[in-house]
Amino acid sequence: MDQRRFIEKQVDEPYFLSVYQEYFPLLFNYGIQIAGNRALVKDAIQDLFIELRTKLALLQAARSVKAYLYTALRRKLVKMTAEEGKYLHLSDQTSFEVVIPYESSLVARQAGDEQRARLAIAFETLTRRQKEAVYLKFYEALSYEEVAATMQLEDVKSARNIIYKAIRAMKSNMLLHRSASFISLLLTFIALLT
Amino acid sequence: MKHKYLHYTAEDFILDEAFQQWVQQPSGEQQAFWEQFLHRHPEKRAAVEEARHFLRSLAFRKVTPTAQEYHTVLQNIEAGHPKAVISANHFRKASFWQWQAAAALFLVGLGTLIYLWWVVPAQTVTWQTAYGEKKEIMLPDSSVVVLNANSTLRYAAAWDDRQPREVWLAGEAFFEVKKKPVTSQQFLVHASTLEVEVLGTSFNVNHRRDKTQVVLNTGKIRLHRTDTDRDPQNDALVMQPGQMVEYFEQEKKLVQKTVNPAAYSSWQENVLIFEGTCISAIAQRLEDTYGFRVVIQDPSLADTKFTATIPTDRVETLLSLLSELLGVPVTQTGRTVTIGK
């Protein structure tokens, strides 16, 4: 108890700064995916870190710093936007957008673009929860346990299920388009050769 | 481990955490493991490549904060200003010092308003007459007020052309109001809960003992009741010259009569005019104007009405003339006047 009080009083500045330095850009990016509004996200992060300063011991005790921070930020943003009744509206329009990265080689670009365009279309068909879970799992590289904690799911199994169903949905959606795109890919090759 | 992966489809690889780690953040150990696996099981290469490609293709729109955003938020955190925003519109909560500043500004503003609304106009002129004393007063607009004995008149020291001219009367006074044809600026006499609105004129106001009596000599005036429980539909009355209105505060009753207005303002010329006046009214007049306590000993006088003009220059003359008029002795002992016996 005495030790905990000591930790609460004394802010470990170097540690605090290192957490901020490492996680501010990550939290910012994640926050934008959820809420879409820069000012809102900055305010939420600011509040989060102010609260965190007095509770660094909790952070140090957390199994995953990233999951702890993501969970706290998500909770804050959901509360802030939900109280405005804008959560669904905001996130449906702006959240978790799959983009097509640039490939240097033309052929790889042609082939890759096809694949990625199908992926992006398939991703768009997912529900908001599925999108967020896929984002946290495959982009943020959180473990299933961390995804469950961040999204406040019942257990790790639920996280696995959401992601499994999301991948199945995406794959089947992409397969539907494969035959059509295979022909277009062939045509592209022929065009390039002639 | 190897055994498990032999039955994996591309989908299974995508969902496998070890596989994900290899694609996302490969370590030397994982690299060696998966190279060895593909070497031994080339039939799995297609599935592995597909899964790898899927995971690599899942690129999300990345939003990077600016250096300024990074530093501003850090500074705010170190200053410890919680945002506590519950709003997408960004109405931010004011900090403590902002509240203090707002409170200070509010108090200064309030103080100024109180000063302008109450203190400045409250710089008033008050005239008060003793028993038996009369005073002629010229108001700031050069209207003339003759204040009768035992009366008080109060008004603002400076009158604004845009505001109604207002005086407050307790007791009795005669007004000769200067007309303001250009601005038609109102002139208001407040006598207890009765308000006399003057439309350029001369009149007498007498407010004594819960009764306000207004007698109009010339011009036109409008009376307003100002008591709080008045009937808003029926609170005003326009008077014509020669009319008298009496307002009884207890009964909340307005009584209108036609009178000789000179009789009611004759006190100005040091004359009391009685025209069919009963003894109690005469007694009241003596009490109100001279501060006597009047005792009527002869009950037979109660129903008699008197008509007379009595000079009031000297109290002794007044009392002896009264005695003559009433036909009974009128004696003064100190402040008490006894009628009858």
Side-chain angles (χ1 to χ4, degrees), chain B residues 249-302:
Chain B
E249 284 171 19
Q250 298 301 317
E251 296 93 333
K252 310 211 177 294
K253 195 171 71 178
L254 277 171
V255 178
Q256 198 163 3
K257 284 182 201 163
T258 302
V259 295
N260 169 21
Y264 293 88
S265 50
S266 62
W267 54 267
Q268 290 177 87
E269 281 82 43
N270 300 326
V271 180
L272 280 181
I273 299 173
F274 299 134
E275 289 180 333
T277 312
C278 64
I279 187 74
S280 62
I282 295 171
Q284 265 184 30
R285 174 58 72 173
L286 291 176
E287 288 189 343
D288 293 339
T289 311
Y290 301 100
F292 293 133
R293 198 173 77 81
V294 179
V295 181
I296 301 165
Q297 296 283 34
D298 193 337
S300 67
L301 292 170

Side-chain angles (χ1 to χ4, degrees), chain A residues 20 47 83 137 168 171, chain B residues 11 20 50 70 83 86:
Chain A
Y20 181 80
D47 273 6
E83 274 174 39
K137 180 77 215 122
R168 286 285 299 263
K171 292 281 287 183
Chain B
E11 224 167 85
Q20 290 158 9
E50 194 191 333
Y70 176 94
K83 281 295 177 197
I86 314 291

Side-chain angles (χ1 to χ4, degrees), chain B residues 4-249:
Chain B
K4 173 175 97 175
Y5 288 131
L6 286 175
H7 308 288
Y8 266 37
T9 62
E11 224 167 85
D12 297 325
F13 281 120
I14 289 170
L15 292 165
D16 184 79
E17 283 200 304
F19 183 84
Q20 290 158 9
Q21 271 172 27
W22 171 55
V23 176
Q24 285 160 346
Q25 302 148 333
S27 68
E29 200 187 321
Q30 287 169 325
Q31 190 67 27
F33 171 86
W34 287 102
E35 271 173 20
Q36 202 189 358
F37 174 80
L38 286 173
H39 183 74
R40 288 197 188 161
H41 307 281
E43 76 278 6
K44 289 275 126 196
R45 185 168 286 276
V48 165
E49 280 308 315
E50 194 191 333
R52 239 166 83 128
H53 192 76
F54 179 91
L55 288 179
R56 287 219 173 131
S57 300
L58 260 181
F60 284 82
R61 181 173 57 100
K62 192 179 176 184
V63 184
T64 317
T66 65
Q68 205 202 325
E69 283 173 324
Y70 176 94
H71 289 294
T72 309
V73 173
L74 183 59
Q75 276 166 18
N76 290 342
I77 291 163
E78 281 172 345
H81 297 317
K83 281 295 177 197
V85 236
I86 314 291
S87 135
N89 300 334
H90 279 264
F91 291 115
R92 294 184 177 164
K93 269 199 179 165
S95 70
F96 184 60
W97 74 265
Q98 280 173 315
W99 279 117
Q100 279 184 319
L105 266 176
F106 175 75
L107 287 177
V108 168
L110 192 67
T112 310
L113 285 178
I114 287 169
Y115 182 77
L116 289 175
W117 281 345
W118 281 293
V119 178
V120 170
Q123 286 176 341
T124 55
V125 178
T126 305
W127 296 98
Q128 190 155 20
T129 49
Y131 286 117
E133 188 195 10
K134 267 201 325 268
K135 194 164 265 170
E136 192 171 309
I137 299 156
M138 190 178 279
L139 296 174
D141 68 336
S142 68
S143 294
V144 175
V145 180
V146 186
L147 194 61
N148 202 358
N150 181 29
S151 299
T152 306
L153 184 76
R154 187 168 59 83
Y155 52 90
W159 284 4
D160 187 331
D161 282 347
R162 292 157 300 179
Q163 298 292 321
R165 301 169 281 174
E166 282 180 287
V167 297
W168 282 262
L169 175 71
E172 183 169 20
F174 182 83
F175 292 88
E176 246 188 274
V177 174
K178 192 117 179 155
K179 282 189 181 176
K180 291 265 184 174
V182 180
T183 56
S184 57
Q185 191 184 359
Q186 269 188 316
F187 189 103
L188 298 173
V189 180
H190 302 277
S192 185
T193 54
L194 194 69
E195 187 183 276
V196 184
E197 182 192 344
V198 181
L199 316 150
T201 220
S202 62
F203 59 96
N204 194 74
V205 179
N206 181 335
H207 166 69
R208 311 263 195 204
R209 305 160 188 253
D210 300 339
K211 183 184 92 176
T212 305
Q213 181 197 68
V214 181
V215 180
L216 178 63
N217 298 53
T218 60
K220 204 165 150 191
I221 55 181
R222 188 181 291 135
L223 302 182
H224 300 275
R225 288 172 56 183
T226 56
D227 29 347
T228 46
D229 56 346
R230 67 187 187 275
D231 176 8
Q233 299 296 314
N234 189 26
D235 72 332
L237 188 148
V238 177
M239 282 177 72
Q240 302 299 332
Q243 285 190 330
M244 175 177 83
V245 170
E246 286 178 310
Y247 178 61
F248 297 89
E249 284 171 19

Side-chain angles (χ1 to χ4, degrees), chain A residues 3-167:
Chain A
Q3 199 188 350
R4 199 182 147 195
R5 208 181 288 152
F6 175 75
I7 293 164
E8 280 177 355
K9 270 185 196 165
Q10 296 282 97
V11 177
D12 183 350
E13 283 298 336
Y15 174 67
F16 181 78
L17 266 180
S18 72
V19 171
Y20 181 80
Q21 204 171 1
E22 185 181 350
Y23 287 102
F24 179 72
L26 295 174
L27 288 167
F28 186 83
N29 187 38
Y30 176 49
I32 294 290
Q33 307 288 339
I34 295 175
N37 179 324
R38 283 182 103 92
L40 191 75
V41 171
K42 279 189 284 180
D43 283 354
I45 296 174
Q46 190 170 313
D47 273 6
L48 170 62
F49 273 96
I50 286 167
E51 286 166 24
L52 202 64
R53 260 170 91 91
T54 58
K55 297 190 292 191
L56 275 181
L58 288 179
L59 187 65
Q60 279 162 324
R63 284 170 71 178
S64 156
V65 171
K66 189 173 184 177
Y68 180 93
L69 292 174
Y70 273 41
T71 306
L73 178 67
R74 188 183 187 277
R75 205 174 287 164
K76 257 189 199 310
L77 282 171
V78 168
K79 195 181 169 210
M80 283 158 82
T81 49
E83 274 174 39
E84 281 288 303
K86 291 189 174 172
Y87 182 57
L88 287 170
H89 177 72
L90 265 181
S91 52
D92 279 353
Q93 289 196 338
T94 61
S95 66
F96 307 112
E97 196 180 316
V98 169
V99 291
I100 300 163
Y102 185 79
E103 294 263 4
S104 51
S105 127
L106 181 65
V107 174
R109 197 153 72 226
Q110 290 282 354
D113 280 0
E114 275 301 327
Q115 169 90 1
R116 290 197 176 99
R118 287 205 308 273
L119 191 82
I121 292 163
F123 184 80
E124 278 310 302
T125 64
L126 298 181
T127 68
R128 215 205 81 86
R129 258 157 69 90
Q130 285 176 327
K131 281 183 187 175
E132 187 173 4
V134 167
Y135 170 88
L136 290 172
K137 180 77 215 122
F138 299 113
Y139 182 79
E140 298 283 1
L142 294 185
S143 70
Y144 286 115
E145 198 187 344
E146 288 167 339
V147 172
T150 301
M151 291 183 68
Q152 294 177 279
L153 303 173
E154 259 179 53
D155 48 22
V156 181
K157 212 179 144 194
S158 322
R160 276 183 197 278
N161 275 337
I162 289 174
I163 293 163
Y164 173 71
K165 279 181 186 158
I167 298 303

